[in-house]
Amino acid sequence: MGSDQEERGTGISTHRFRKIVKKCIACLASFLMSMVGGFVLVFWELKFHPTNSQLWMVPLGLILSITPVIACFTSFISDVRSSNQDGVSSPNQPVANSMDNPIPDIDTC
């Protein structure tokens, strides 16, 4: 109903807007997961560190706090590499001159 015209007027498509919203939600979720990991570590430090009990909380807190940072970093690097290689074939793309489409011999031309 004219949504294409509205999208062209704003300069952003619905697909791109949804993609941006998904990235924002993922960023918020990873930030909250890092916060939970930090709270687990702080709670263990305040309550259980003097007795060195409940040691399972330390690796859990480290995993929860560090994993989202690594995932966001690798996602960022992947986006940067894919945007820099526009037109360059990646290892996952088929090669134009594969065995299905052999280059014709000079003798057959």
Side-chain angles (χ1 to χ4, degrees):
M1 270 209 152
S3 63
D4 289 337
Q5 293 172 349
E6 292 172 7
E7 291 170 0
R8 289 181 189 148
T10 59
I12 188 168
S13 67
T14 306
H15 176 69
R16 186 166 180 190
F17 179 73
R18 287 181 182 164
K19 195 174 183 181
I20 291 170
V21 168
K22 285 182 183 180
K23 285 186 179 185
C24 288
I25 290 172
C27 182
L28 179 65
S30 64
F31 177 72
L32 291 175
M33 195 161 90
S34 290
M35 292 296 292
V36 167
F39 286 139
V40 167
L41 288 172
V42 168
F43 180 73
W44 177 82
E45 174 72 29
L46 296 174
K47 182 145 179 138
F48 297 112
H49 183 66
T51 61
N52 277 338
S53 61
Q54 302 294 329
L55 291 175
W56 60 270
M57 295 175 81
V58 175
L60 177 71
L62 289 172
I63 289 171
L64 286 176
S65 61
I66 300 298
T67 302
V69 174
I70 294 171
C72 287
F73 179 72
T74 57
S75 175
F76 174 73
I77 295 299
S78 174
D79 285 345
V80 168
R81 287 201 61 199
S82 66
S83 67
N84 286 342
Q85 294 183 353
D86 292 338
V88 178
S89 64
S90 68
N92 296 332
Q93 293 177 346
V95 178
N97 294 328
S98 65
M99 295 305 289
D100 297 333
N101 282 333
I103 300 172
D105 293 332
I106 298 174
D107 298 330
T108 60
C109 293

